[in-house]
Amino acid sequence: MTKIRGSLVIAFVIVLGIAAAVTGYSSYKNGEEATVERLAQALLKNDQTTIKKFMPTFSTKQKISTGTRKMFQHQIRKLKNKEQVVAFLKDEDHFSIKKGASLFEPAKIYPIPRTIELELPQEARLKARLQGRPIVGNYDEEWRKVTFGPFLSGEYELTYELTHPKFGRHKTKERIDLKKTDQRVIIKENNLYDGNAAFQQHLLASAVNYFDSMNEAIRNDLNVSRMAASKEHKEKLQQSFEKLKPYMENFQQSFQTIQIDCDSIAVNRAQTKVQLDLYVDLKRSMKLIEETGIDEALVSDKQNAIAHFLYDEEQKKWLIDELIFDTFQQDPEKWEQSKSYRGQAEKMAQWSKTSGGNVV
């Protein structure tokens, strides 16, 4: 009887030892330290199955999308070794670690969500990419802001393209630091046009169209109705031609090169007018009838101008509204940022009292 009792005691002690060992192993295996180690290893190996097991959702219980997880891997690749990844996962600014509900349930690591908020100028539409991946946000029309996320902590490359009815498309790229807090980017009005190559090219094309269409007007018996210019500008120009027409024998215009100084572009607050410095190798000559008493042709080689553009809501274009040929001398060769046009040959048009308009 004593032997049986002793055997039972020994068995009981053994069972207790095994249970304690199992409990201790489970406690270690499913504890916070071991979970962090496993997740760090899985992140380095890009083992998505293990990553999803130990990092299932954000701390807010929001789902972590596949794209967000892949972008986060970019952050991990910046870390050199497992020790750095472990330190990153233990940082309370980035992650929240929760114990399992029992000894047999592993701890979980929950990323603290980060968001990016972009405040847009009026009328601007937005397309955005994070780490080269298209992202879609929630748009608040009242405050003109788009919120993207949630994302995991890290430093990301954000590319956003603005499309505006007056200024066209403009793409911007910048680094966004989401390691410590959410980020808010206020896109100012001047971001739409400062350094916007498409907008600059539009203004240059508008200037070229202006002088091309004026050549057409000269050929069309000095009728400017179809010129690429603002309504008010055409009215003033037509009045000038009507006053001069009885006294002119011949009128001629030619040009080949047009250049704009992009650094001089200025947009008014209402976004209805633009001003810039313009160079054109414009040549004009006017021969008057004999009755005026002036025998020689009047020649003008004004080449430097301040150009004013007006936005035409109907045509959805910027049109020249005024050209002020001043006396100061601009030097286009010294313009640091400029765009230019040069025709294959000199473009010339002529009007005469006897034949009306004709091409020379």
Side-chain angles (χ1 to χ4, degrees), residues 254-298:
S254 66
F255 75 97
Q256 187 174 8
T257 300
I258 298 174
Q259 187 170 351
I260 62 170
D261 181 6
C262 297
D263 289 332
S264 70
I265 294 174
V267 181
N268 69 337
R269 294 190 65 180
Q271 297 183 357
T272 56
K273 295 181 180 180
V274 170
Q275 177 181 308
L276 55 81
D277 293 340
L278 177 145
Y279 168 84
V280 55
D281 58 351
L282 184 66
K283 298 181 182 67
R284 285 176 180 163
S285 66
M286 180 173 60
K287 182 174 177 53
L288 302 180
I289 59 177
E290 293 183 4
E291 288 81 353
T292 60
I294 302 175
D295 298 330
E296 296 182 358
L298 303 178

Side-chain angles (χ1 to χ4, degrees), residues 128-246:
R129 302 177 76 90
L130 199 67
Q131 296 300 129
R133 291 179 173 274
I135 52 176
V136 179
N138 297 317
Y139 180 60
D140 185 329
E141 188 172 356
E142 181 180 359
W143 297 99
R144 299 197 311 275
K145 66 180 181 181
V146 184
T147 303
F148 298 102
F151 305 110
L152 283 79
S153 292
E155 188 177 81
Y156 297 88
E157 183 178 87
L158 174 67
T159 303
Y160 55 90
E161 182 182 87
L162 296 169
T163 303
H164 193 274
K166 294 180 181 177
F167 305 109
R169 294 182 180 181
H170 190 29
K171 185 178 288 188
T172 302
K173 183 184 293 184
E174 58 181 280
R175 305 298 299 181
I176 299 292
D177 189 353
L178 295 177
K179 291 195 286 265
K180 294 294 182 182
T181 185
D182 301 336
Q183 291 297 320
R184 184 184 182 201
V185 179
I186 300 175
I187 304 175
K188 298 180 180 179
E189 302 287 340
N190 64 308
N191 287 100
L192 294 168
Y193 45 81
D194 285 349
N196 186 340
F199 177 51
Q200 295 164 358
Q201 192 64 41
H202 176 87
L203 294 175
L204 175 64
S206 181
V208 174
N209 288 339
Y210 171 85
F211 288 103
D212 272 336
S213 63
M214 188 167 182
N215 273 2
E216 288 299 321
I218 292 169
R219 299 180 190 121
N220 191 29
D221 200 24
L222 302 178
N223 183 344
V224 304
S225 60
R226 297 177 65 181
M227 268 188 67
S230 71
K231 181 179 178 181
E232 185 177 352
H233 182 78
K234 288 191 291 186
E235 288 175 352
K236 290 180 180 179
L237 189 57
Q238 192 66 70
Q239 290 172 6
S240 297
F241 276 141
E242 294 302 324
K243 289 179 181 179
L244 287 171
K245 208 171 181 181

